[in-house]
Amino acid sequence: KQALKAGVNVAWIASPSSESTGAETVFRSGMKASYEGFHLYIPPSKSVAGKACPRYTFQDKVPESFENFVDYLGKKMSWSGQTGNAVNALSASDEVSDENARLSFLAICLILLGVYMMSWILYSVLTLCNGRCGGEFRKREFRKTTSVAGRDAVGAADGEDGFESNPSANKPVEPIPTPHEVWLRALVNYPFLFLVIFTSIPVVLSYFAYVNNGYTISVNLDFDSYLDIDTKAERAARQFEELVDHQIDTLRNETRNCKALYRSSYNNRRVLEEGVRSLDEESNLYEKRNGRTMISFFYQNPEGGSVFTPEVLRSIHSFEDFVMNLPQFNEYCYGNAGGCFPFNSIAPYFFTNGELVDDIDEVLMKFPGSKLALAKMDKYFSKDNLASNVTMTSVLLNNKGGGNLDEIHDFLEGLHRQLWKADMTGQFPGLVFSWSNTHITDYEANNALEHDAKWSGAALIFIAMMIFVKVRNIIAVLAGVLGLVLSFTSALYWQYHFDFNELTAMHVAGIFVMLGIGADDIFLTIDSFEHSKLDFLKDSKGERLSEEHLSEPPIIKNRMILAYKTAGSMMLVSSLTTAICFFSNVSSAVISIRDFGSYMGCVVVLNFVHVMTILPSALLVDELWLKPLRRKFWAAICLRTKPSPLDEKCNVGDDIFDPQCPVSVSPDCCNIEGASGGSVGPTPVQTAVGLATHNFDEASGEDVTPETSSTSAEELQSLQNQHGGATFLNHIDDMTKLDRFFVTRYAPSVRRLRLCIIFISLVVSVILAVLASSNFSVYDGTIIVFKSKYNLGRVQRVVGEYYPDELVEMYTD
């Protein structure tokens, strides 16, 4: 009644009026008269002992007029018929209220876009005010400091009101910084604050995601559900099938209850009143084979074809003996005091006293008359076809100690490892065997996910090593990898926020895709920052400057602004197009594709945000504060070491730049960035921009650095002509060997052969498109996730290809 008062529609399932009690009839009549949302539904019934028992709430098959049935559900028996404020009137609608409180994806985008547009509107207003009001303000200030007579005299002399005569009045108005410039100034002036804020936000979101998922990360391993679609008709059909399945599962109890209710036997009535719980327990025990765990085995011929060959049958016999003799199997097997019961297998029919029978076909002729034997064959086996591509057997386990599932699970995992080892080592060359059990399936699937996760971690470590080899900066490596990892974890929060809660194996595979995208963004940002040194290595006269010049805070900030603009625009375009491609999958009717697209789109967007905030702020913190501390540390170390002849030659103690010295000259050490010793190694700056380094031989006291041939003037002029006089070619000698190769060799070759490359690419694309279209076909079987060399992959293929649909559905469930 409380639900009806709140506006909720209630479908009351009742017995026929002829069988209802007087009190029930009065109750139903009163409810229908008092509440508009009360709907009476009387299902079909069948007669038992002259009485009518309810048969089904819904029909056991989908009605022919399915659209009318869906319409009936929507109008009479679903929440779609509620009044507008019915949900809000419920007191126990926390979940619904929580969904309404969340911001949708469109709302968040509109809010961010609105904030961005408001910043530009504010900038435009301030710029307009600064242009118009600034001049009037200066004029008023000038008039306050000038007498009336003096102002008239000046005005008479200048023919104006005297404004030009005041130098301060002609001072140009400082332009209002754009929103982009405000962001960059805040980033370069407060990098530590940026680093703390934009690292804390994804960390907190990741924690909330972990809490919302029950302090775990669950992955859907029901691979057949990956093909589920989400449409109105499909949702109704899926709910309908679940209701029918539930009714079929409980039909045995309902029939027994009905018989007990309408038969005069006192004992039956007592069973109904006192034993309802035991009936439910009996049903559950029946579904679980009286509580015993079952393992199924599938046997195939390694050469294909029928399994009823002498070699395969002998291998089956040996394999079953092998399983029976595994450690602890006799403790968990189903049996009696005499030992374990044998496998529920057809193999013993082919053996007499351990020897294979002479006539295999004679034994096979007996199988078509046995339902139990036919259930172990493939669907093609018959009296006219005494061959089967696969045969199935099963074995039951008995729970040790009265049903300790943890011990059973430990045993099953150990059994899986033993079977996996025998499979991988080829212990039974004449047989392809597969095994299946609910816990083993989950265990194997989880192992596969852990395997992929480890490879993802290895790929992440490899990316970090490559970044370190490139930049030789551990801070940059840690910041880049941290931003990439946080993009995965914080995206889980937005998955929950937008109700895309289910993670699948595709999400794990998507990690590899995102690692490549994230690595590109990290390399691009760090490379742009390192190459920005080229714009500050020479002064206005073209003379080379020292590294101390590059270490000045204003230069570092200007370098970051330059790199931020260069890399940011490119990453924005690439990230935006990639995110749009992923988000386009949200409109898919396939649920798993929709969830995958939404998650990967969030990861791409978050990775762009992190690489534009966490990484540059970490680089600035390192350049402005940490690197000077490291210089002081190495300088203190150098003071405790014996100076080399090269230090004396470089006038240690004088801040003088000598072309023969390494770039990193300091008052305390000639090369505080390099290793101490006779041979002074290149500094990070030299490594990054390709500056010449010098090696010193202590024995001879001479510089033994080999002369490197730089690009000749003729080559430089030729390259400038090819590239339209590009100014970056003036820095060829400052580039690394790899960069120099791309600029001087690779790029000219691509430009020269551009027409051939385009033509070949088009031809290859057309050929591949024709081959793809001619060999394209739609697969209508179960989704195959694992390769056939893995146990799960073989089981999926065997069950899907060789067994009836009813068994496939039972196996899937």
Side-chain angles (χ1 to χ4, degrees), residues 46-61:
K46 68 176 181 179
S47 177
V48 176
K51 300 292 184 178
C53 288
R55 186 176 184 182
Y56 286 112
T57 302
F58 300 111
Q59 303 176 36
D60 57 348
K61 294 184 179 179

Side-chain angles (χ1 to χ4, degrees), residues 141-154:
E141 291 297 319
F142 177 77
R143 291 189 181 100
K144 290 180 182 179
T145 57
T146 307
S147 64
V148 176
R151 187 173 67 252
D152 293 339
V154 173

Side-chain angles (χ1 to χ4, degrees), residues 541-555:
K541 299 180 181 179
E543 298 180 357
R544 186 182 297 276
L545 300 175
S546 65
E547 187 181 355
E548 282 72 11
H549 172 73
L550 295 175
S551 302
E552 295 175 0
I555 300 299

Side-chain angles (χ1 to χ4, degrees), residues 272-401:
L272 175 66
E273 294 176 348
E274 300 178 359
V276 172
R277 181 177 180 181
S278 63
L279 292 178
D280 293 337
E281 292 176 352
E282 180 181 345
S283 176
N284 292 331
L285 291 175
Y286 177 82
E287 293 175 359
K288 296 180 180 179
R289 296 167 297 278
N290 291 331
R292 299 185 184 95
T293 301
M294 186 179 73
I295 307 173
S296 299
F297 294 95
F298 301 90
Y299 304 132
Q300 292 175 275
N301 190 332
E303 298 180 356
S306 177
V307 295
F308 301 121
T309 63
E311 184 178 0
V312 174
L313 290 173
R314 290 191 183 96
S315 298
I316 293 175
H317 191 266
S318 300
F319 173 78
E320 293 180 355
D321 287 342
F322 163 76
V323 175
M324 296 281 285
N325 293 317
L326 284 175
Q328 293 187 319
F329 186 85
N330 60 337
E331 298 180 20
Y332 292 95
C333 67
Y334 179 48
N336 54 23
C340 298
F341 291 153
F343 279 40
N344 184 15
S345 172
I346 61 172
Y349 294 100
F350 296 92
F351 290 85
T352 303
N353 297 325
E355 297 294 331
L356 184 66
V357 298
D358 296 328
D359 193 349
I360 295 177
D361 290 339
E362 182 181 357
V363 178
L364 291 174
M365 289 295 294
K366 302 176 183 179
F367 290 162
S370 171
K371 292 183 178 180
L372 294 178
L374 289 176
K376 304 178 188 305
M377 312 296 182
D378 65 15
K379 56 186 176 182
Y380 307 110
F381 184 85
S382 66
K383 63 180 181 179
D384 298 324
N385 178 34
L386 297 177
S388 178
N389 296 282
V390 62
T391 181
M392 179 179 67
T393 186
S394 60
V395 61
L396 292 176
L397 302 181
N398 198 16
N399 293 353
K400 180 181 179 181

Side-chain angles (χ1 to χ4, degrees), residues 108-127 177-180:
I108 293 176
C109 292
L110 291 176
I111 290 174
L112 295 177
L113 181 61
V115 172
Y116 180 74
M117 295 301 296
M118 285 298 299
S119 66
W120 277 100
I121 293 174
L122 180 62
Y123 163 74
S124 302
V125 172
L126 292 177
T127 302
T178 65
H180 297 166

Side-chain angles (χ1 to χ4, degrees), residues 133-310:
C133 303
E136 296 296 332
F137 174 77
R138 288 194 303 275
K139 290 180 181 180
R140 288 195 299 269
E141 291 297 319
F142 177 77
R143 291 189 181 100
K144 290 180 182 179
T145 57
T146 307
S147 64
V148 176
R151 187 173 67 252
D152 293 339
V154 173
D158 295 341
E160 299 287 346
D161 62 352
F163 178 69
E164 289 80 357
S165 300
N166 190 345
S168 63
N170 293 325
K171 184 178 180 180
V173 180
E174 183 177 355
I176 302 295
T178 65
H180 297 166
E181 292 173 345
V182 172
W183 174 269
L184 287 175
R185 291 184 184 182
L187 173 64
V188 298
N189 290 317
Y190 307 101
F192 183 76
L193 182 62
F194 262 67
L195 181 61
V196 172
I197 292 176
F198 288 98
T199 303
S200 301
I201 292 176
V203 169
V204 172
L205 293 181
S206 302
Y207 173 75
F208 284 156
Y210 188 63
V211 172
N212 292 332
N213 285 280
Y215 296 95
T216 185
I217 298 178
S218 58
V219 179
N220 178 18
L221 300 178
D222 183 9
F223 304 118
D224 286 298
S225 67
Y226 290 6
L227 298 180
D228 289 345
I229 61 177
D230 187 24
T231 61
K232 180 180 179 180
E234 183 65 23
R235 286 195 298 270
R238 191 159 50 242
Q239 294 172 359
F240 180 85
E241 291 174 359
E242 291 174 357
L243 290 171
V244 171
D245 290 341
H246 173 72
Q247 291 171 154
I248 293 175
D249 291 340
T250 58
L251 180 61
R252 184 180 299 102
N253 284 340
E254 294 300 326
T255 302
R256 188 171 178 178
N257 292 346
C258 185
K259 293 178 179 180
L261 178 64
Y262 288 110
R263 287 177 178 171
S264 58
S265 172
Y266 170 79
N267 291 331
N268 286 339
R269 182 59 180 261
R270 183 175 58 82
V271 169
L272 175 66
E273 294 176 348
E274 300 178 359
V276 172
R277 181 177 180 181
S278 63
L279 292 178
D280 293 337
E281 292 176 352
E282 180 181 345
S283 176
N284 292 331
L285 291 175
Y286 177 82
E287 293 175 359
K288 296 180 180 179
R289 296 167 297 278
N290 291 331
R292 299 185 184 95
T293 301
M294 186 179 73
I295 307 173
S296 299
F297 294 95
F298 301 90
Y299 304 132
Q300 292 175 275
N301 190 332
E303 298 180 356
S306 177
V307 295
F308 301 121
T309 63

